[in-house]
Amino acid sequence: MKVLVPVKRVLDYNVKPRVKADGTGVDLANVKMSMNPFDEIAVEEAIRLKEKGVATEIVVVSIGEQKAQETLRTALAMGADRAILIVSEDKVEPLGVAKLLAKVAEAEQPGLVILGKQAIDDDNNQTGQMLGALLGWGQGTFASKVEVAGDSVDVTREVDGGLETVKLKTPAIVTTDLRLNEPRYASLPNIMKAKSKPLEQKTPADYGVDVTPRLTTVKVEEPAKRQAGVKVADVDELVGKLKTLGVVA
Amino acid sequence: MAQVYEAPLRDMRFVLHELFEGEDFGDLPHFGEFTPDLTDAILDEAARLTRDVLLPLNASGDAEGCTIENGVVRTPAGFRDAYAQFRDGGWAALSSPPEWGGQGLPETVNKLVEEMICAANLSFSLYPGLTHGATTAILGHASEDLKRAYLPKMVSGEWGGTMCLTEAHCGTDLGLLRTRAEPRGDGSFAVTGSKIFISSGDHDLTENIIHLVLARLPDAPRGVKGISLFLVPKLLPNDDGTCGPRNGVAVAGIEHKMGLKASATCQLAFEESIGWLVGEPNKGLAAMFTMMNAERVSVGIQGLGVGEIAYQSAVAYARERLQSRALSGTARPDLPADPIIVHPDVRRMLMTMRAYTEGSRALGQWVSRALDAEAHGADPETRQRASDFVAMMTPVVKALFTDLASETANLGVQIYGGHGFIREHGVEQFVRDARITQLYEGTNGVQALDLVGRKLGAHMGRYLRPFFHAVSAQLADAAKTSARDLAAWRSSLEQSFGMLQLSTGTIAQKALKDAEEAGAAATDYLRLVGLVGMGHCFLKAARIARHRLGEGTDEADFYTAKLATAGFFFDRILPQATAAFLSIKSGKRSLMALPADAF
């Protein structure tokens, strides 16, 4: 079974984002970029499936600027087999991404598409679900456990009330949650090998997909600074304050 | 605030790809496969591994330390797992040759990874570090049989290694060594004696430990000319390579140290332990010194690593600690007080730390390039030149970087104020850990003597030439510069370089008549060489930065900061050269004036 893993290049999770002075977005000039942590979990899961003998080939795909190559190389160094980069220097919204991925999936015919439940830059949490709708495949989102058995896959999902397990017929889509696994560090020999693994370059036009943004960003600004709190002397004063604020009756 | 470390990848890429581009020792086709995208990927992953796996064990390892129970040494909690991850990832084999299972990385990259490991966890670095040193000596001097039996498992990190030199009564002066080796008649030897201060002498990270032991053969001449090197495994390997019976190597105790507490420093007792000769009889010291010289550069890099984490931890605190108001008026009216980074004296300390670490990184990279060229340079002339440069700079890198590291770690504590003195913040550990780097692999005083005694005058000053030529060439090249700051910095460097040339001549002359004159000048001379070396690198860096900014770059912040650090170096650090020059000039007179019994 082939596994397709889409990965996104995002601001490193350790970096404190800064909003651009003109309010058009987050400043990405010269800040550390890395693979979206949820996507890293997706790559790890695919590698584990391959190590178990379930998956036969892992194809990673990224949509974004030329530098997303580095992100794909990271995935190859972790253990993916080959990579596809769909170059778009402009921002591609989740729907555009899902349409491109649908085309890639049609061409590659994977048994599973495993992707992060969301990217930590815009936190949309949409791509996996949209991809499911476009392909008409079953989806198991927010996965904390994935078990493939024959031509179906059991996905344990983290839902508000606890855990829910769904059985999906393959091909299917899985989006990963934090607790699914702990991604490995790429080993030095694998980093060196990654250099010679195939990386194919495409453009959205190659797939006949129009990725023109449908949303307009009006303004990006930092969240309001938290104001200092007030110290109260005792419980009575606290209750009094809460009443004045109308929080309690 | 606590111990803060994120590998300074941008500056590392700067020294690796930009600073010495197209200069010095030429291209090395041998390393053609290590293109920038590959080396950057390696540095990125090393940065993650050191930050996420090694750094979290730095303070806990220091607090817990190593323990010994019934002769078995245990490393602190977490070290076994971390080492397994490190080894399985292939990081132990970083720069070892591919024919023995290594990754064959160039030293230029290897030393940057070493810096990260040492910054994140200096104690941890000693385990793979000693193994690598022992591997180098075996590679250079052991028989093919020994290589085949031991190298593959040592290169992979499955087995550890040590260097057993020191005995209770002999440290710097190895001629006093007493450990004996008696032939057993089958080509092997029975080694008996006691060793102290053995880093990684025993531990629970690897299945077996391979000791390289200096000992005397029965008929050996007295002094250093009668010392041989032996390979003595903790467990004797079976024919199939698995570990067999114990080999009479006992741990007599572990040293109780000021710092570096998670590194197991052992006292070892060898009792008729079976060993094999490495290299020629009575030539052990030479064999050990190939490894020692390589290790000395690495100890310099240890200092650099500790300096970097001390710097980053101090910056984090100076940004967050709110006390008083800026001298120029309130800087942050929204806060109850200003962060202490507003104060000129705090800046003085932070900039000093920054200039020391950036200067050391640049100079270290220059020497690393020479290490690669020494081994793989295009022609014999280039290899010789590189080798001369390495010979001269090895004691400088060792002593200068570690002296600066101690100073940096102390400044870090100063920035934390009283909070630096208590343990919770973790920055006093840097002072304790850095301290050993000035002592082991030859004290810094011994390094200075090596520089003036063995390097300065040898072969009519041949070792100094590549360094002096490079500085002169840049001074000539930069003479055309129209930028006022660059011109001023160039002229400061020229002045210090003049003082270095004068001092070199003075010492060479005086030492011919009186060896004590060389000894009295040694430490100041080493500092002077180091300052000129760092100044050379800073001028180079500043010229590149100015050029990039002129061309237009989207990394203006990085290059502007580089110029600022260079400016501080020339204004505030390089003047130390004048002090060193004047001290050297004064000679030994006042230094040796007081008779020994008047102390």
Side-chain angles (χ1 to χ4, degrees):
Chain A
M1 183 179 70
K2 193 190 283 186
V3 180
L4 184 69
V5 184
V7 297
K8 186 177 186 185
R9 181 173 188 264
V10 299
L11 188 72
D12 186 85
Y13 72 95
N14 273 306
V15 174
K16 191 167 178 260
R18 275 186 318 197
V19 172
K20 281 192 212 163
D22 62 4
T24 55
V26 172
D27 192 357
L28 296 182
N30 307 312
V31 290
K32 186 166 163 49
M33 306 288 282
S34 302
M35 191 191 302
N36 176 36
F38 291 105
D39 300 347
E40 236 182 315
I41 294 171
V43 175
E44 176 66 32
E45 195 62 19
I47 297 169
R48 290 187 188 187
L49 287 174
K50 194 175 171 195
E51 284 169 350
K52 278 187 213 153
V54 176
T56 48
E57 190 189 19
I58 302 166
V59 182
V60 284
V61 54
S62 191
I63 297 152
E65 55 180 337
Q66 198 56 251
K67 282 187 178 159
Q69 254 197 53
E70 291 166 17
T71 312
L72 289 170
R73 291 276 176 220
T74 306
L76 294 173
M78 286 173 72
D81 297 296
R82 63 188 169 89
I84 303 169
L85 172 62
I86 305 175
V87 182
S88 166
E89 295 298 330
D90 301 317
K91 186 176 157 63
V92 183
E93 291 170 355
L95 184 58
V97 172
K99 284 178 179 171
L100 283 168
L101 292 178
K103 294 285 184 187
V104 175
E106 278 165 19
E108 295 284 347
Q109 298 286 323
L112 272 181
V113 181
I114 309 180
L115 63 173
K117 70 169 181 178
Q118 67 198 67
I120 59 165
D121 51 359
D122 51 23
D123 279 339
N124 277 318
N125 193 339
Q126 294 171 333
T127 305
Q129 294 88 331
M130 287 174 168
L131 181 61
L134 289 171
L135 290 169
W137 294 1
Q139 52 174 294
T141 52
F142 315 148
S144 64
K145 195 173 175 192
V146 175
E147 271 176 303
V148 179
D151 57 359
S152 71
V153 53
D154 288 339
V155 179
T156 304
R157 310 180 57 230
E158 300 202 348
V159 294
D160 288 347
L163 297 175
E164 175 192 55
T165 305
V166 292
K167 188 184 272 299
L168 311 167
K169 201 161 75 62
T170 54
I173 288 159
V174 174
T175 75
T176 61
D177 216 322
L178 275 183
R179 279 157 289 270
L180 179 57
N181 60 47
E182 200 176 312
R184 70 193 60 198
Y185 296 94
S187 75
L188 192 54
N190 283 341
I191 297 173
M192 315 239 296
K193 269 183 229 147
K195 204 174 141 64
S196 49
K197 289 183 178 174
L199 192 154
E200 195 184 351
Q201 291 230 14
K202 297 280 198 179
T203 64
D206 292 339
Y207 294 99
V209 173
D210 175 16
V211 292
T212 316
R214 291 161 177 247
L215 304 172
T216 317
T217 302
V218 181
K219 196 176 170 194
V220 177
E221 54 187 3
E222 306 241 351
K225 287 241 158 45
R226 267 185 71 173
Q227 300 296 319
V230 185
K231 274 193 182 163
V232 290
D234 49 32
V235 176
D236 288 342
E237 196 189 337
L238 175 66
V239 173
K241 291 247 187 228
L242 290 176
K243 279 187 177 159
T244 354
L245 289 167
V247 187
V248 290
Chain B
M1 231 0 95
Q3 301 184 341
V4 176
Y5 180 70
E6 185 81 47
L9 288 169
R10 184 62 191 90
D11 198 47
M12 290 182 162
R13 291 202 307 272
F14 177 73
V15 298
L16 180 61
H17 304 311
E18 298 173 62
L19 190 58
F20 300 99
E21 204 192 344
E23 284 193 52
D24 299 309
F25 305 107
D27 289 335
L28 300 177
H30 177 83
F31 294 116
E33 65 169 311
F34 292 95
T35 51
D37 56 343
L38 176 60
T39 55
D40 292 353
I42 292 170
L43 293 179
D44 277 352
E45 198 64 10
R48 263 160 49 101
L49 188 77
T50 49
R51 179 193 67 200
D52 299 346
V53 177
L54 301 185
L55 180 62
L57 299 176
N58 194 35
S60 62
D62 177 62
E64 186 185 336
C66 292
T67 47
I68 179 167
E69 207 175 315
N70 301 325
V72 178
V73 178
R74 294 198 192 291
T75 54
F79 272 59
R80 276 176 68 92
D81 285 346
Y83 183 79
Q85 244 179 316
F86 183 85
R87 181 195 57 212
D88 294 347
W91 299 98
L94 214 60
S95 66
S96 301
E99 55 270 34
W100 294 104
Q103 300 297 335
L105 251 71
E107 284 299 333
T108 47
V109 182
N110 183 36
K111 287 287 180 280
L112 295 175
V113 176
E114 274 184 24
E115 182 195 325
M116 295 185 206
I117 299 168
C118 296
N121 198 321
L122 187 63
S123 285
F124 180 90
S125 79
L126 273 278
Y127 297 105
L130 266 296
T131 307
H132 183 254
T135 309
T136 314
I138 294 173
L139 259 173
H141 303 280
S143 67
E144 286 305 311
D145 284 350
L146 283 179
K147 285 184 192 171
R148 267 193 301 276
Y150 292 94
L151 275 182
K153 288 194 173 183
M154 292 179 76
V155 166
S156 70
E158 219 173 312
W159 290 355
T162 73
M163 313 166 34
C164 303
L165 286 75
T166 309
E167 296 175 9
H169 59 283
C170 89
T172 301
D173 186 358
L174 289 165
L176 304 171
L177 197 97
R178 282 182 202 148
T179 299
R180 291 173 290 119
E182 309 270 352
R184 294 174 73 244
D186 60 352
S188 67
F189 295 82
V191 178
T192 303
S194 299
K195 296 283 180 180
I196 61 165
F197 297 178
I198 307 307
S199 299
S200 319
D202 195 48
H203 54 78
D204 53 0
L205 303 184
T206 59
E207 186 191 12
N208 201 359
I209 299 171
I210 312 306
H211 305 286
L212 288 183
V213 186
L214 288 182
R216 285 182 186 287
L217 290 166
D219 53 354
R222 296 173 64 87
V224 290
K225 294 206 165 72
I227 297 174
S228 308
L229 183 62
F230 296 88
L231 182 153
V232 183
K234 170 181 169 182
L235 304 175
L236 287 163
N238 298 316
D239 289 340
D240 61 357
T242 55
C243 290
R246 293 197 59 106
N247 187 24
V249 186
V251 189
I254 51 177
E255 311 287 359
H256 303 279
K257 310 190 295 285
M258 173 182 179
L260 206 72
K261 289 181 184 260
S263 161
T265 314
C266 302
Q267 300 160 6
L268 295 181
F270 295 86
E271 205 170 322
E272 307 217 327
S273 308
I274 300 175
W276 289 268
L277 189 64
V278 175
E280 307 277 309
N282 302 328
K283 298 268 172 65
L285 212 55
M288 194 57 113
F289 261 89
T290 27
M291 150 161 137
M292 271 291 242
N293 278 323
E295 291 301 305
R296 284 178 173 175
V297 176
S298 290
V299 172
I301 301 299
Q302 292 181 357
L304 167 56
V306 179
E308 178 66 34
I309 190 173
Y311 167 68
Q312 291 190 25
S313 303
V315 170
Y317 189 74
R319 279 206 180 110
E320 291 200 352
R321 174 69 172 170
L322 305 178
Q323 289 292 293
S324 311
R325 289 297 182 184
L327 298 173
S328 54
T330 299
R332 293 289 303 270
D334 54 324
L335 299 173
D338 286 334
I340 59 172
I341 197 165
V342 300
H343 294 291
D345 195 59
V346 173
R347 292 294 181 92
R348 172 187 63 80
M349 295 189 277
L350 289 175
M351 286 306 291
T352 302
M353 300 167 88
R354 185 181 171 105
Y356 282 168
T357 49
E358 284 188 16
S360 299
R361 185 171 302 116
L363 190 56
Q365 186 66 199
W366 189 13
V367 176
S368 304
R369 288 173 82 91
L371 284 167
D372 286 332
E374 183 181 17
H376 304 288
D379 49 77
E381 188 271 328
T382 306
R383 290 196 291 274
Q384 184 61 55
R385 203 156 45 86
S387 167
D388 289 349
F389 182 67
V390 169
M392 168 175 175
M393 294 308 279
T394 295
V396 178
V397 166
K398 197 284 182 180
L400 177 77
F401 291 13
T402 58
D403 281 350
L404 298 183
S406 255
E407 212 179 312
T408 301
N410 265 307
L411 287 172
V413 170
Q414 196 68 23
I415 287 171
Y416 273 73
H419 290 280
F421 192 66
I422 60 169
R423 289 216 156 172
E424 281 84 336
H425 292 277
V427 296
E428 52 80 47
Q429 185 191 342
F430 305 142
V431 177
R432 291 184 288 105
D433 283 357
R435 200 64 188 80
I436 184 64
T437 62
Q438 298 170 285
L439 306 171
Y440 60 17
E441 299 293 343
T443 62
N444 286 0
V446 167
Q447 304 302 321
L449 275 181
D450 177 41
L451 179 64
V452 296
R454 295 204 192 95
K455 309 293 166 64
L456 189 146
H459 313 296
M460 306 288 286
R462 195 186 77 205
Y463 290 140
L464 275 59
R465 260 171 246 155
F467 178 78
F468 279 38
H469 283 174
V471 179
S472 313
Q474 184 180 212
L475 287 172
D477 194 35
K480 306 182 266 292
T481 185
S482 55
R484 275 172 76 185
D485 51 358
L486 291 182
W489 300 341
R490 182 199 160 277
S491 121
S492 309
L493 178 63
E494 192 171 34
Q495 260 180 7
S496 314
F497 185 48
M499 292 190 259
L500 173 61
Q501 287 170 310
L502 266 174
S503 306
T504 307
T506 315
I507 296 171
Q509 265 181 354
K510 280 190 186 169
L512 283 178
K513 286 181 228 129
D514 182 356
E516 272 184 359
E517 284 288 355
T523 291
D524 290 302
Y525 183 75
L526 187 144
R527 176 61 68 109
L528 185 52
V529 172
L531 287 165
V532 171
M534 290 203 295
H536 172 72
C537 293
F538 268 119
L539 184 62
K540 223 178 217 318
R543 292 168 69 205
I544 293 169
R546 177 66 73 221
H547 179 70
R548 297 266 198 275
L549 288 166
E551 283 179 331
T553 165
D554 59 357
E555 294 184 298
D557 288 354
F558 175 77
Y559 293 110
T560 312
K562 192 51 96 180
L563 283 174
T565 311
F568 179 86
F569 178 85
F570 287 106
D571 284 352
R572 294 278 186 147
I573 307 289
L574 195 57
Q576 291 175 20
T578 309
F581 171 67
L582 293 175
S583 293
I584 295 167
K585 207 173 140 205
S586 75
K588 77 162 195 184
R589 203 164 51 93
S590 54
L591 189 141
M592 297 297 281
L594 199 61
D597 52 12
F599 279 91

